[in-house]
Amino acid sequence: MPQITSGDADIFYEALGSGPPVVLLHPFPTNHNLWKPAAQALITRYRVILPDLRGHGESGGEGPATMEKHAADIARVLDHEEVRRAAFVGVSIGGYVLFEFWRKYRARVDALVLCNTKAQADTPEARAVRLQAANFVLERGTELFFGSMIPKLMGKTTRDTRPDLVEGALRMMRTMSPEDVAMVQRGMAERQDSMETLKTINVPTMLVTGDEDSLTGVGEAELMRQNISGSEIKLIAKAGHYSPWEQPEEVGKLLRQFLDRLNAA
């Protein structure tokens, strides 16, 4: 995997295929491998760039992993790949990063796909839960935390019928140290509200969510649709918060259709 230095972090990423560039951002607390199955639908026509966000997978970093740092990291990856503009897809924290990326680097954005994410900042209660989780993993390790997250992150259908996908997600999670988890949680707790940002988005935008996503789901997607002019929602059946991992063929097909329409215009 190529590696770049961005501020205080070494950022690793993988690039597959050739053609118009597409950047796929994974959710917390996984890494770029979450996107690999769905990306198979894209690599025959597109240059697919798969970063490990700072604190995830092979990528490091110091202090709270703020959205500003993540966005700067992605800009550095683009520079290293000599990519001026790209389409961007982000799941959960990947969506949070894309809101910040849009605020800072919108001239580099051709299109957006926001998956299983939301625009609002954390409530005071949600922020407190993140900070408690950061302290918990530093004191007691990550295994209990990761186990407690699975019912929230993966749909009931997946948990009941695809233990291989559950174990695969846990394997990705286990690449994060307690310090990594704490750094990322603290960064998410600091993120700004992006509701007003939604109204400024003027590139083609697709919103994707799972019908079993208990964390964001249809309600959050509909709120974003109402505020992003011309955006559309796609619902993934039998999928939770990790819809591209749980239903990679369906998500891959939707992404391919969306990108092909853009590139046919």
Side-chain angles (χ1 to χ4, degrees), residues 14-51:
E14 190 166 356
L16 306 170
S18 60
V22 183
V23 180
L24 305 181
L25 303 182
H26 60 78
F28 171 79
T30 64
N31 57 53
H32 78 283
N33 287 302
L34 179 134
W35 271 114
K36 285 281 195 68
Q40 299 310 303
L42 305 180
I43 59 178
T44 55
R45 185 179 177 188
Y46 296 95
R47 177 71 165 168
V48 180
I49 299 169
L50 301 159

PDB file of all heavy atoms in Angstrom, residues 14-51:
ATOM      1  N   GLU A  14      -4.873   2.278  -0.744  1.00  0.00           N
ATOM      2  CA  GLU A  14      -4.729   1.369  -1.867  1.00  0.00           C
ATOM      3  C   GLU A  14      -5.450   1.984  -3.053  1.00  0.00           C
ATOM      4  O   GLU A  14      -6.469   2.669  -2.878  1.00  0.00           O
ATOM      5  CB  GLU A  14      -5.326   0.004  -1.516  1.00  0.00           C
ATOM      6  CG  GLU A  14      -5.009  -1.086  -2.514  1.00  0.00           C
ATOM      7  CD  GLU A  14      -5.302  -2.490  -1.987  1.00  0.00           C
ATOM      8  OE1 GLU A  14      -5.687  -2.622  -0.808  1.00  0.00           O
ATOM      9  OE2 GLU A  14      -5.139  -3.451  -2.765  1.00  0.00           O
ATOM     10  N   ALA A  15      -4.923   1.777  -4.248  1.00  0.00           N
ATOM     11  CA  ALA A  15      -5.562   2.271  -5.466  1.00  0.00           C
ATOM     12  C   ALA A  15      -5.701   1.111  -6.448  1.00  0.00           C
ATOM     13  O   ALA A  15      -4.736   0.387  -6.704  1.00  0.00           O
ATOM     14  CB  ALA A  15      -4.749   3.402  -6.082  1.00  0.00           C
ATOM     15  N   LEU A  16      -6.907   0.935  -6.971  1.00  0.00           N
ATOM     16  CA  LEU A  16      -7.221  -0.189  -7.846  1.00  0.00           C
ATOM     17  C   LEU A  16      -7.871   0.317  -9.123  1.00  0.00           C
ATOM     18  O   LEU A  16      -8.624   1.288  -9.104  1.00  0.00           O
ATOM     19  CB  LEU A  16      -8.196  -1.153  -7.147  1.00  0.00           C
ATOM     20  CG  LEU A  16      -7.794  -1.690  -5.778  1.00  0.00           C
ATOM     21  CD1 LEU A  16      -8.981  -2.412  -5.134  1.00  0.00           C
ATOM     22  CD2 LEU A  16      -6.606  -2.625  -5.888  1.00  0.00           C
ATOM     23  N   GLY A  17      -7.606  -0.358 -10.239  1.00  0.00           N
ATOM     24  CA  GLY A  17      -8.269  -0.029 -11.487  1.00  0.00           C
ATOM     25  C   GLY A  17      -7.714   1.229 -12.134  1.00  0.00           C
ATOM     26  O   GLY A  17      -6.756   1.838 -11.662  1.00  0.00           O
ATOM     27  N   SER A  18      -8.356   1.629 -13.237  1.00  0.00           N
ATOM     28  CA  SER A  18      -7.954   2.839 -13.948  1.00  0.00           C
ATOM     29  C   SER A  18      -9.198   3.485 -14.532  1.00  0.00           C
ATOM     30  O   SER A  18     -10.202   2.826 -14.787  1.00  0.00           O
ATOM     31  CB  SER A  18      -6.947   2.524 -15.059  1.00  0.00           C
ATOM     32  OG  SER A  18      -7.510   1.637 -16.003  1.00  0.00           O
ATOM     33  N   GLY A  19      -9.094   4.803 -14.740  1.00  0.00           N
ATOM     34  CA  GLY A  19     -10.226   5.562 -15.263  1.00  0.00           C
ATOM     35  C   GLY A  19     -10.520   6.744 -14.371  1.00  0.00           C
ATOM     36  O   GLY A  19      -9.664   7.174 -13.585  1.00  0.00           O
ATOM     37  N   PRO A  20     -11.727   7.319 -14.457  1.00  0.00           N
ATOM     38  CA  PRO A  20     -12.083   8.447 -13.600  1.00  0.00           C
ATOM     39  C   PRO A  20     -11.929   8.070 -12.119  1.00  0.00           C
ATOM     40  O   PRO A  20     -12.308   6.971 -11.709  1.00  0.00           O
ATOM     41  CB  PRO A  20     -13.549   8.717 -13.954  1.00  0.00           C
ATOM     42  CG  PRO A  20     -13.705   8.163 -15.340  1.00  0.00           C
ATOM     43  CD  PRO A  20     -12.806   6.969 -15.398  1.00  0.00           C
ATOM     44  N   PRO A  21     -11.373   8.958 -11.296  1.00  0.00           N
ATOM     45  CA  PRO A  21     -11.092   8.602  -9.907  1.00  0.00           C
ATOM     46  C   PRO A  21     -12.326   8.646  -9.003  1.00  0.00           C
ATOM     47  O   PRO A  21     -13.169   9.541  -9.117  1.00  0.00           O
ATOM     48  CB  PRO A  21     -10.067   9.647  -9.477  1.00  0.00           C
ATOM     49  CG  PRO A  21     -10.320  10.814 -10.364  1.00  0.00           C
ATOM     50  CD  PRO A  21     -10.808  10.266 -11.658  1.00  0.00           C
ATOM     51  N   VAL A  22     -12.381   7.674  -8.104  1.00  0.00           N
ATOM     52  CA  VAL A  22     -13.432   7.571  -7.090  1.00  0.00           C
ATOM     53  C   VAL A  22     -12.750   7.261  -5.759  1.00  0.00           C
ATOM     54  O   VAL A  22     -11.945   6.334  -5.679  1.00  0.00           O
ATOM     55  CB  VAL A  22     -14.435   6.448  -7.416  1.00  0.00           C
ATOM     56  CG1 VAL A  22     -15.555   6.421  -6.377  1.00  0.00           C
ATOM     57  CG2 VAL A  22     -14.986   6.587  -8.818  1.00  0.00           C
ATOM     58  N   VAL A  23     -13.065   8.035  -4.733  1.00  0.00           N
ATOM     59  CA  VAL A  23     -12.487   7.838  -3.404  1.00  0.00           C
ATOM     60  C   VAL A  23     -13.556   7.247  -2.491  1.00  0.00           C
ATOM     61  O   VAL A  23     -14.648   7.815  -2.356  1.00  0.00           O
ATOM     62  CB  VAL A  23     -11.975   9.163  -2.817  1.00  0.00           C
ATOM     63  CG1 VAL A  23     -11.376   8.954  -1.425  1.00  0.00           C
ATOM     64  CG2 VAL A  23     -10.944   9.796  -3.756  1.00  0.00           C
ATOM     65  N   LEU A  24     -13.247   6.096  -1.870  1.00  0.00           N
ATOM     66  CA  LEU A  24     -14.188   5.411  -0.990  1.00  0.00           C
ATOM     67  C   LEU A  24     -13.674   5.492   0.450  1.00  0.00           C
ATOM     68  O   LEU A  24     -12.579   5.010   0.748  1.00  0.00           O
ATOM     69  CB  LEU A  24     -14.341   3.941  -1.398  1.00  0.00           C
ATOM     70  CG  LEU A  24     -14.740   3.655  -2.855  1.00  0.00           C
ATOM     71  CD1 LEU A  24     -14.877   2.149  -3.071  1.00  0.00           C
ATOM     72  CD2 LEU A  24     -16.025   4.365  -3.233  1.00  0.00           C
ATOM     73  N   LEU A  25     -14.470   6.084   1.337  1.00  0.00           N
ATOM     74  CA  LEU A  25     -14.082   6.262   2.735  1.00  0.00           C
ATOM     75  C   LEU A  25     -14.910   5.330   3.622  1.00  0.00           C
ATOM     76  O   LEU A  25     -16.137   5.347   3.580  1.00  0.00           O
ATOM     77  CB  LEU A  25     -14.285   7.713   3.161  1.00  0.00           C
ATOM     78  CG  LEU A  25     -13.552   8.771   2.330  1.00  0.00           C
ATOM     79  CD1 LEU A  25     -13.815  10.158   2.905  1.00  0.00           C
ATOM     80  CD2 LEU A  25     -12.059   8.484   2.264  1.00  0.00           C
ATOM     81  N   HIS A  26     -14.213   4.569   4.430  1.00  0.00           N
ATOM     82  CA  HIS A  26     -14.833   3.529   5.259  1.00  0.00           C
ATOM     83  C   HIS A  26     -15.395   4.096   6.561  1.00  0.00           C
ATOM     84  O   HIS A  26     -15.077   5.222   6.952  1.00  0.00           O
ATOM     85  CB  HIS A  26     -13.782   2.461   5.589  1.00  0.00           C
ATOM     86  CG  HIS A  26     -12.612   3.008   6.348  1.00  0.00           C
ATOM     87  ND1 HIS A  26     -12.667   3.268   7.703  1.00  0.00           N
ATOM     88  CD2 HIS A  26     -11.364   3.379   5.957  1.00  0.00           C
ATOM     89  CE1 HIS A  26     -11.510   3.761   8.111  1.00  0.00           C
ATOM     90  NE2 HIS A  26     -10.701   3.852   7.063  1.00  0.00           N
ATOM     91  N   PRO A  27     -16.205   3.305   7.293  1.00  0.00           N
ATOM     92  CA  PRO A  27     -16.726   3.734   8.587  1.00  0.00           C
ATOM     93  C   PRO A  27     -15.775   3.371   9.739  1.00  0.00           C
ATOM     94  O   PRO A  27     -14.885   2.533   9.592  1.00  0.00           O
ATOM     95  CB  PRO A  27     -18.028   2.943   8.718  1.00  0.00           C
ATOM     96  CG  PRO A  27     -17.738   1.660   7.986  1.00  0.00           C
ATOM     97  CD  PRO A  27     -16.839   2.047   6.834  1.00  0.00           C
ATOM     98  N   PHE A  28     -15.984   4.000  10.883  1.00  0.00           N
ATOM     99  CA  PHE A  28     -15.356   3.633  12.149  1.00  0.00           C
ATOM    100  C   PHE A  28     -16.005   2.326  12.637  1.00  0.00           C
ATOM    101  O   PHE A  28     -17.216   2.145  12.474  1.00  0.00           O
ATOM    102  CB  PHE A  28     -15.606   4.758  13.159  1.00  0.00           C
ATOM    103  CG  PHE A  28     -15.216   4.465  14.580  1.00  0.00           C
ATOM    104  CD1 PHE A  28     -13.894   4.538  14.973  1.00  0.00           C
ATOM    105  CD2 PHE A  28     -16.174   4.135  15.530  1.00  0.00           C
ATOM    106  CE1 PHE A  28     -13.529   4.282  16.289  1.00  0.00           C
ATOM    107  CE2 PHE A  28     -15.829   3.877  16.838  1.00  0.00           C
ATOM    108  CZ  PHE A  28     -14.498   3.949  17.222  1.00  0.00           C
ATOM    109  N   PRO A  29     -15.250   1.419  13.252  1.00  0.00           N
ATOM    110  CA  PRO A  29     -13.803   1.400  13.439  1.00  0.00           C
ATOM    111  C   PRO A  29     -13.164   0.333  12.544  1.00  0.00           C
ATOM    112  O   PRO A  29     -12.505  -0.592  13.030  1.00  0.00           O
ATOM    113  CB  PRO A  29     -13.684   1.022  14.932  1.00  0.00           C
ATOM    114  CG  PRO A  29     -14.866   0.115  15.192  1.00  0.00           C
ATOM    115  CD  PRO A  29     -15.925   0.458  14.159  1.00  0.00           C
ATOM    116  N   THR A  30     -13.373   0.449  11.217  1.00  0.00           N
ATOM    117  CA  THR A  30     -12.865  -0.560  10.284  1.00  0.00           C
ATOM    118  C   THR A  30     -11.673   0.008   9.524  1.00  0.00           C
ATOM    119  O   THR A  30     -10.884   0.763  10.062  1.00  0.00           O
ATOM    120  CB  THR A  30     -13.984  -1.023   9.329  1.00  0.00           C
ATOM    121  OG1 THR A  30     -14.419   0.074   8.516  1.00  0.00           O
ATOM    122  CG2 THR A  30     -15.172  -1.584  10.100  1.00  0.00           C
ATOM    123  N   ASN A  31     -11.521  -0.352   8.263  1.00  0.00           N
ATOM    124  CA  ASN A  31     -10.461   0.190   7.409  1.00  0.00           C
ATOM    125  C   ASN A  31     -10.870   0.017   5.956  1.00  0.00           C
ATOM    126  O   ASN A  31     -12.010  -0.359   5.668  1.00  0.00           O
ATOM    127  CB  ASN A  31      -9.105  -0.463   7.728  1.00  0.00           C
ATOM    128  CG  ASN A  31      -9.138  -1.982   7.596  1.00  0.00           C
ATOM    129  OD1 ASN A  31      -9.545  -2.523   6.565  1.00  0.00           O
ATOM    130  ND2 ASN A  31      -8.743  -2.676   8.661  1.00  0.00           N
ATOM    131  N   HIS A  32      -9.943   0.294   5.050  1.00  0.00           N
ATOM    132  CA  HIS A  32     -10.295   0.319   3.627  1.00  0.00           C
ATOM    133  C   HIS A  32     -10.797  -1.021   3.103  1.00  0.00           C
ATOM    134  O   HIS A  32     -11.498  -1.079   2.092  1.00  0.00           O
ATOM    135  CB  HIS A  32      -9.092   0.775   2.802  1.00  0.00           C
ATOM    136  CG  HIS A  32      -8.062  -0.283   2.584  1.00  0.00           C
ATOM    137  ND1 HIS A  32      -7.156  -0.667   3.552  1.00  0.00           N
ATOM    138  CD2 HIS A  32      -7.799  -1.063   1.495  1.00  0.00           C
ATOM    139  CE1 HIS A  32      -6.379  -1.619   3.072  1.00  0.00           C
ATOM    140  NE2 HIS A  32      -6.744  -1.878   1.835  1.00  0.00           N
ATOM    141  N   ASN A  33     -10.466  -2.118   3.799  1.00  0.00           N
ATOM    142  CA  ASN A  33     -10.889  -3.435   3.324  1.00  0.00           C
ATOM    143  C   ASN A  33     -12.404  -3.602   3.330  1.00  0.00           C
ATOM    144  O   ASN A  33     -12.934  -4.456   2.614  1.00  0.00           O
ATOM    145  CB  ASN A  33     -10.243  -4.530   4.163  1.00  0.00           C
ATOM    146  CG  ASN A  33      -8.759  -4.668   3.858  1.00  0.00           C
ATOM    147  OD1 ASN A  33      -8.367  -4.908   2.711  1.00  0.00           O
ATOM    148  ND2 ASN A  33      -7.923  -4.493   4.867  1.00  0.00           N
ATOM    149  N   LEU A  34     -13.106  -2.791   4.126  1.00  0.00           N
ATOM    150  CA  LEU A  34     -14.568  -2.881   4.128  1.00  0.00           C
ATOM    151  C   LEU A  34     -15.135  -2.636   2.723  1.00  0.00           C
ATOM    152  O   LEU A  34     -16.163  -3.209   2.359  1.00  0.00           O
ATOM    153  CB  LEU A  34     -15.144  -1.883   5.121  1.00  0.00           C
ATOM    154  CG  LEU A  34     -16.680  -1.853   5.195  1.00  0.00           C
ATOM    155  CD1 LEU A  34     -17.151  -1.847   6.647  1.00  0.00           C
ATOM    156  CD2 LEU A  34     -17.270  -0.646   4.457  1.00  0.00           C
ATOM    157  N   TRP A  35     -14.452  -1.799   1.953  1.00  0.00           N
ATOM    158  CA  TRP A  35     -14.949  -1.437   0.625  1.00  0.00           C
ATOM    159  C   TRP A  35     -14.551  -2.424  -0.470  1.00  0.00           C
ATOM    160  O   TRP A  35     -15.078  -2.345  -1.593  1.00  0.00           O
ATOM    161  CB  TRP A  35     -14.448  -0.051   0.250  1.00  0.00           C
ATOM    162  CG  TRP A  35     -15.346   1.062   0.676  1.00  0.00           C
ATOM    163  CD1 TRP A  35     -15.085   2.037   1.603  1.00  0.00           C
ATOM    164  CD2 TRP A  35     -16.648   1.356   0.180  1.00  0.00           C
ATOM    165  NE1 TRP A  35     -16.143   2.905   1.711  1.00  0.00           N
ATOM    166  CE2 TRP A  35     -17.120   2.508   0.843  1.00  0.00           C
ATOM    167  CE3 TRP A  35     -17.487   0.744  -0.768  1.00  0.00           C
ATOM    168  CZ2 TRP A  35     -18.370   3.061   0.601  1.00  0.00           C
ATOM    169  CZ3 TRP A  35     -18.735   1.300  -1.013  1.00  0.00           C
ATOM    170  CH2 TRP A  35     -19.160   2.438  -0.337  1.00  0.00           C
ATOM    171  N   LYS A  36     -13.621  -3.322  -0.182  1.00  0.00           N
ATOM    172  CA  LYS A  36     -13.068  -4.165  -1.243  1.00  0.00           C
ATOM    173  C   LYS A  36     -14.141  -4.959  -2.008  1.00  0.00           C
ATOM    174  O   LYS A  36     -14.124  -4.971  -3.249  1.00  0.00           O
ATOM    175  CB  LYS A  36     -12.029  -5.123  -0.663  1.00  0.00           C
ATOM    176  CG  LYS A  36     -10.697  -4.502  -0.311  1.00  0.00           C
ATOM    177  CD  LYS A  36      -9.852  -4.302  -1.557  1.00  0.00           C
ATOM    178  CE  LYS A  36      -8.404  -4.028  -1.210  1.00  0.00           C
ATOM    179  NZ  LYS A  36      -7.701  -5.152  -0.618  1.00  0.00           N
ATOM    180  N   PRO A  37     -15.088  -5.642  -1.341  1.00  0.00           N
ATOM    181  CA  PRO A  37     -16.078  -6.411  -2.121  1.00  0.00           C
ATOM    182  C   PRO A  37     -16.928  -5.534  -3.032  1.00  0.00           C
ATOM    183  O   PRO A  37     -17.126  -5.857  -4.201  1.00  0.00           O
ATOM    184  CB  PRO A  37     -16.911  -7.103  -1.036  1.00  0.00           C
ATOM    185  CG  PRO A  37     -16.002  -7.193   0.157  1.00  0.00           C
ATOM    186  CD  PRO A  37     -15.212  -5.914   0.119  1.00  0.00           C
ATOM    187  N   ALA A  38     -17.449  -4.415  -2.508  1.00  0.00           N
ATOM    188  CA  ALA A  38     -18.292  -3.555  -3.343  1.00  0.00           C
ATOM    189  C   ALA A  38     -17.493  -2.894  -4.456  1.00  0.00           C
ATOM    190  O   ALA A  38     -18.028  -2.622  -5.544  1.00  0.00           O
ATOM    191  CB  ALA A  38     -18.966  -2.489  -2.475  1.00  0.00           C
ATOM    192  N   ALA A  39     -16.209  -2.629  -4.209  1.00  0.00           N
ATOM    193  CA  ALA A  39     -15.366  -1.954  -5.202  1.00  0.00           C
ATOM    194  C   ALA A  39     -15.154  -2.784  -6.453  1.00  0.00           C
ATOM    195  O   ALA A  39     -14.785  -2.244  -7.503  1.00  0.00           O
ATOM    196  CB  ALA A  39     -14.017  -1.584  -4.592  1.00  0.00           C
ATOM    197  N   GLN A  40     -15.395  -4.084  -6.376  1.00  0.00           N
ATOM    198  CA  GLN A  40     -15.203  -4.938  -7.548  1.00  0.00           C
ATOM    199  C   GLN A  40     -16.094  -4.501  -8.706  1.00  0.00           C
ATOM    200  O   GLN A  40     -15.753  -4.713  -9.875  1.00  0.00           O
ATOM    201  CB  GLN A  40     -15.466  -6.406  -7.187  1.00  0.00           C
ATOM    202  CG  GLN A  40     -14.540  -6.969  -6.115  1.00  0.00           C
ATOM    203  CD  GLN A  40     -13.084  -6.704  -6.404  1.00  0.00           C
ATOM    204  OE1 GLN A  40     -12.570  -7.092  -7.461  1.00  0.00           O
ATOM    205  NE2 GLN A  40     -12.402  -6.053  -5.470  1.00  0.00           N
ATOM    206  N   ALA A  41     -17.234  -3.887  -8.384  1.00  0.00           N
ATOM    207  CA  ALA A  41     -18.138  -3.424  -9.443  1.00  0.00           C
ATOM    208  C   ALA A  41     -17.617  -2.178 -10.151  1.00  0.00           C
ATOM    209  O   ALA A  41     -18.125  -1.810 -11.209  1.00  0.00           O
ATOM    210  CB  ALA A  41     -19.518  -3.139  -8.846  1.00  0.00           C
ATOM    211  N   LEU A  42     -16.604  -1.537  -9.568  1.00  0.00           N
ATOM    212  CA  LEU A  42     -16.127  -0.254 -10.092  1.00  0.00           C
ATOM    213  C   LEU A  42     -14.802  -0.342 -10.822  1.00  0.00           C
ATOM    214  O   LEU A  42     -14.533   0.455 -11.717  1.00  0.00           O
ATOM    215  CB  LEU A  42     -15.986   0.755  -8.942  1.00  0.00           C
ATOM    216  CG  LEU A  42     -17.219   0.986  -8.070  1.00  0.00           C
ATOM    217  CD1 LEU A  42     -16.905   2.005  -6.973  1.00  0.00           C
ATOM    218  CD2 LEU A  42     -18.401   1.440  -8.903  1.00  0.00           C
ATOM    219  N   ILE A  43     -13.951  -1.283 -10.428  1.00  0.00           N
ATOM    220  CA  ILE A  43     -12.546  -1.218 -10.858  1.00  0.00           C
ATOM    221  C   ILE A  43     -12.353  -1.531 -12.336  1.00  0.00           C
ATOM    222  O   ILE A  43     -11.283  -1.260 -12.882  1.00  0.00           O
ATOM    223  CB  ILE A  43     -11.648  -2.125  -9.996  1.00  0.00           C
ATOM    224  CG1 ILE A  43     -12.113  -3.581 -10.059  1.00  0.00           C
ATOM    225  CG2 ILE A  43     -11.621  -1.620  -8.561  1.00  0.00           C
ATOM    226  CD1 ILE A  43     -11.216  -4.529  -9.265  1.00  0.00           C
ATOM    227  N   THR A  44     -13.384  -2.049 -13.008  1.00  0.00           N
ATOM    228  CA  THR A  44     -13.241  -2.279 -14.451  1.00  0.00           C
ATOM    229  C   THR A  44     -13.313  -0.990 -15.256  1.00  0.00           C
ATOM    230  O   THR A  44     -12.906  -0.968 -16.422  1.00  0.00           O
ATOM    231  CB  THR A  44     -14.326  -3.249 -14.956  1.00  0.00           C
ATOM    232  OG1 THR A  44     -15.613  -2.724 -14.594  1.00  0.00           O
ATOM    233  CG2 THR A  44     -14.138  -4.627 -14.361  1.00  0.00           C
ATOM    234  N   ARG A  45     -13.820   0.100 -14.637  1.00  0.00           N
ATOM    235  CA  ARG A  45     -13.922   1.366 -15.374  1.00  0.00           C
ATOM    236  C   ARG A  45     -13.337   2.555 -14.621  1.00  0.00           C
ATOM    237  O   ARG A  45     -13.084   3.603 -15.214  1.00  0.00           O
ATOM    238  CB  ARG A  45     -15.394   1.658 -15.704  1.00  0.00           C
ATOM    239  CG  ARG A  45     -15.547   2.901 -16.568  1.00  0.00           C
ATOM    240  CD  ARG A  45     -16.976   3.225 -16.939  1.00  0.00           C
ATOM    241  NE  ARG A  45     -17.013   4.469 -17.706  1.00  0.00           N
ATOM    242  CZ  ARG A  45     -18.111   5.109 -18.053  1.00  0.00           C
ATOM    243  NH1 ARG A  45     -19.294   4.626 -17.718  1.00  0.00           N
ATOM    244  NH2 ARG A  45     -18.054   6.239 -18.730  1.00  0.00           N
ATOM    245  N   TYR A  46     -13.105   2.410 -13.320  1.00  0.00           N
ATOM    246  CA  TYR A  46     -12.730   3.555 -12.485  1.00  0.00           C
ATOM    247  C   TYR A  46     -11.431   3.304 -11.727  1.00  0.00           C
ATOM    248  O   TYR A  46     -11.064   2.159 -11.457  1.00  0.00           O
ATOM    249  CB  TYR A  46     -13.858   3.878 -11.491  1.00  0.00           C
ATOM    250  CG  TYR A  46     -15.118   4.307 -12.194  1.00  0.00           C
ATOM    251  CD1 TYR A  46     -16.124   3.388 -12.485  1.00  0.00           C
ATOM    252  CD2 TYR A  46     -15.284   5.624 -12.618  1.00  0.00           C
ATOM    253  CE1 TYR A  46     -17.265   3.770 -13.182  1.00  0.00           C
ATOM    254  CE2 TYR A  46     -16.421   6.022 -13.309  1.00  0.00           C
ATOM    255  CZ  TYR A  46     -17.404   5.094 -13.594  1.00  0.00           C
ATOM    256  OH  TYR A  46     -18.523   5.476 -14.282  1.00  0.00           O
ATOM    257  N   ARG A  47     -10.746   4.395 -11.407  1.00  0.00           N
ATOM    258  CA  ARG A  47      -9.590   4.374 -10.518  1.00  0.00           C
ATOM    259  C   ARG A  47     -10.135   4.535  -9.100  1.00  0.00           C
ATOM    260  O   ARG A  47     -10.596   5.608  -8.725  1.00  0.00           O
ATOM    261  CB  ARG A  47      -8.640   5.524 -10.860  1.00  0.00           C
ATOM    262  CG  ARG A  47      -7.424   5.673  -9.955  1.00  0.00           C
ATOM    263  CD  ARG A  47      -6.430   4.575 -10.172  1.00  0.00           C
ATOM    264  NE  ARG A  47      -5.126   4.881  -9.598  1.00  0.00           N
ATOM    265  CZ  ARG A  47      -4.165   3.973  -9.461  1.00  0.00           C
ATOM    266  NH1 ARG A  47      -4.357   2.727  -9.870  1.00  0.00           N
ATOM    267  NH2 ARG A  47      -3.005   4.307  -8.943  1.00  0.00           N
ATOM    268  N   VAL A  48     -10.117   3.472  -8.324  1.00  0.00           N
ATOM    269  CA  VAL A  48     -10.732   3.453  -7.004  1.00  0.00           C
ATOM    270  C   VAL A  48      -9.639   3.634  -5.945  1.00  0.00           C
ATOM    271  O   VAL A  48      -8.707   2.824  -5.856  1.00  0.00           O
ATOM    272  CB  VAL A  48     -11.500   2.139  -6.777  1.00  0.00           C
ATOM    273  CG1 VAL A  48     -12.131   2.129  -5.381  1.00  0.00           C
ATOM    274  CG2 VAL A  48     -12.580   1.959  -7.847  1.00  0.00           C
ATOM    275  N   ILE A  49      -9.756   4.693  -5.175  1.00  0.00           N
ATOM    276  CA  ILE A  49      -8.762   5.030  -4.146  1.00  0.00           C
ATOM    277  C   ILE A  49      -9.380   4.742  -2.784  1.00  0.00           C
ATOM    278  O   ILE A  49     -10.454   5.249  -2.449  1.00  0.00           O
ATOM    279  CB  ILE A  49      -8.342   6.503  -4.260  1.00  0.00           C
ATOM    280  CG1 ILE A  49      -7.713   6.748  -5.643  1.00  0.00           C
ATOM    281  CG2 ILE A  49      -7.370   6.889  -3.148  1.00  0.00           C
ATOM    282  CD1 ILE A  49      -7.488   8.214  -5.980  1.00  0.00           C
ATOM    283  N   LEU A  50      -8.687   3.904  -2.008  1.00  0.00           N
ATOM    284  CA  LEU A  50      -9.217   3.379  -0.746  1.00  0.00           C
ATOM    285  C   LEU A  50      -8.273   3.736   0.395  1.00  0.00           C
ATOM    286  O   LEU A  50      -7.355   2.985   0.724  1.00  0.00           O
ATOM    287  CB  LEU A  50      -9.342   1.854  -0.841  1.00  0.00           C
ATOM    288  CG  LEU A  50     -10.235   1.303  -1.955  1.00  0.00           C
ATOM    289  CD1 LEU A  50      -9.878  -0.145  -2.254  1.00  0.00           C
ATOM    290  CD2 LEU A  50     -11.690   1.394  -1.542  1.00  0.00           C
ATOM    291  N   PRO A  51      -8.459   4.873   1.051  1.00  0.00           N
ATOM    292  CA  PRO A  51      -7.582   5.225   2.173  1.00  0.00           C
ATOM    293  C   PRO A  51      -7.993   4.511   3.467  1.00  0.00           C
ATOM    294  O   PRO A  51      -9.165   4.195   3.681  1.00  0.00           O
ATOM    295  CB  PRO A  51      -7.787   6.739   2.329  1.00  0.00           C
ATOM    296  CG  PRO A  51      -8.648   7.167   1.177  1.00  0.00           C
ATOM    297  CD  PRO A  51      -9.388   5.957   0.726  1.00  0.00           C
TER     298      PRO A  51
END
